[in-house]
Amino acid sequence: MGIIGKDFDYKIIDNFLDKGEVNLLNQYCEIMHRTNTSKFDFRVCETGDTMCHGDPVFDALLLTKKDIMEKTTGLKLLPTYTFWRMYTKHAILRKHTDRPACEISATVFIDSDDTEWPIFMDGKSVSLNKGDAVIYKGCDVEHWREPFNGDYHMQVFLHYVDKNGKYSDYKGD
């Protein structure tokens, strides 16, 4: 599961979001998806997943979760950006590592239709429950998901950089 501290690769955090946060974000995401007219990504599936970069609600989450991110990683962090996606049928997340603004990242599971859809971290399958997160070194840990067979899966990505690291200039990206 990874090691807490500067030498960690990834770490699962149960209940990263409390039940109230999960409920609020679930409702918010459903409204965003239902009212979406322009924020589609057709690169990951033919139906086009709803996505959003830098949404104010998720940016607030980025700031309020910074303390737990710092405690988990043992690093002083600077927030960079957020990205939210409502994955839909046949979506995939191709195998990749992230750009410098995603040096320390969290992928946070908000809600789904209960279809199991693990994320792979360095080849290991990681399953999360609603409200859980996996914190990982985005530039170092290769991660991906296989094709999604369910109807929907809500995920928010929170990205930070090490305040004392080589990517600190990417703060507020």
Side-chain angles (χ1 to χ4, degrees):
M1 291 224 197
I3 301 168
I4 296 176
K6 291 184 181 182
D7 296 325
F8 84 103
D9 287 326
Y10 67 92
K11 173 76 177 160
I12 297 168
I13 305 297
D14 295 333
N15 302 307
F16 185 80
L17 302 174
D18 66 33
K19 290 182 189 224
E21 290 169 325
V22 169
N23 186 48
L24 174 75
L25 292 175
N26 178 31
Q27 297 302 313
Y28 182 73
C29 294
E30 284 184 17
I31 292 166
M32 283 185 27
H33 183 68
R34 190 174 55 248
T35 61
N36 178 29
T37 59
S38 62
K39 296 177 180 178
F40 293 104
D41 187 349
F42 293 101
R43 296 170 298 167
V44 298
C45 68
E46 54 201 42
T47 56
D49 291 348
T50 300
M51 62 179 192
C52 187
H53 177 273
D55 178 86
V57 169
F58 295 119
D59 285 354
L61 190 66
L62 180 74
L63 299 175
T64 60
K65 295 300 181 178
K66 186 167 99 58
D67 288 347
I68 193 169
M69 294 291 295
E70 289 179 336
K71 182 178 178 186
T72 301
T73 63
L75 301 169
K76 289 292 181 189
L77 300 175
L78 300 170
T80 56
Y81 76 97
T82 60
F83 187 80
W84 169 79
R85 184 181 296 277
M86 170 83 84
Y87 291 97
T88 56
K89 191 143 184 97
H90 304 299
I92 60 169
L93 178 64
R94 298 189 194 289
K95 190 181 290 188
H96 70 286
T97 56
D98 295 327
R99 60 191 183 92
C102 310
E103 181 179 18
I104 304 296
S105 296
T107 182
V108 185
F109 179 22
I110 298 170
D111 195 21
S112 76
D113 64 353
D114 293 328
T115 301
E116 181 72 17
W117 199 39
I119 187 166
F120 290 85
M121 295 281 168
D122 273 342
K124 296 178 185 124
S125 176
V126 175
S127 293
L128 301 173
N129 294 311
K130 294 171 188 176
D132 292 352
V134 59
I135 298 171
Y136 57 100
K137 291 182 174 178
C139 302
D140 299 333
V141 176
E142 195 170 53
H143 50 284
W144 72 92
R145 290 180 189 266
E146 299 297 327
F148 182 54
N149 293 318
D151 290 322
Y152 73 95
H153 183 97
M154 299 176 204
Q155 201 77 28
V156 65
F157 305 91
L158 308 176
H159 301 294
Y160 305 84
V161 290
D162 179 352
K163 180 179 181 178
N164 301 307
K166 62 184 176 182
Y167 301 125
S168 61
D169 289 347
Y170 286 86
K171 70 177 186 235
D173 180 61

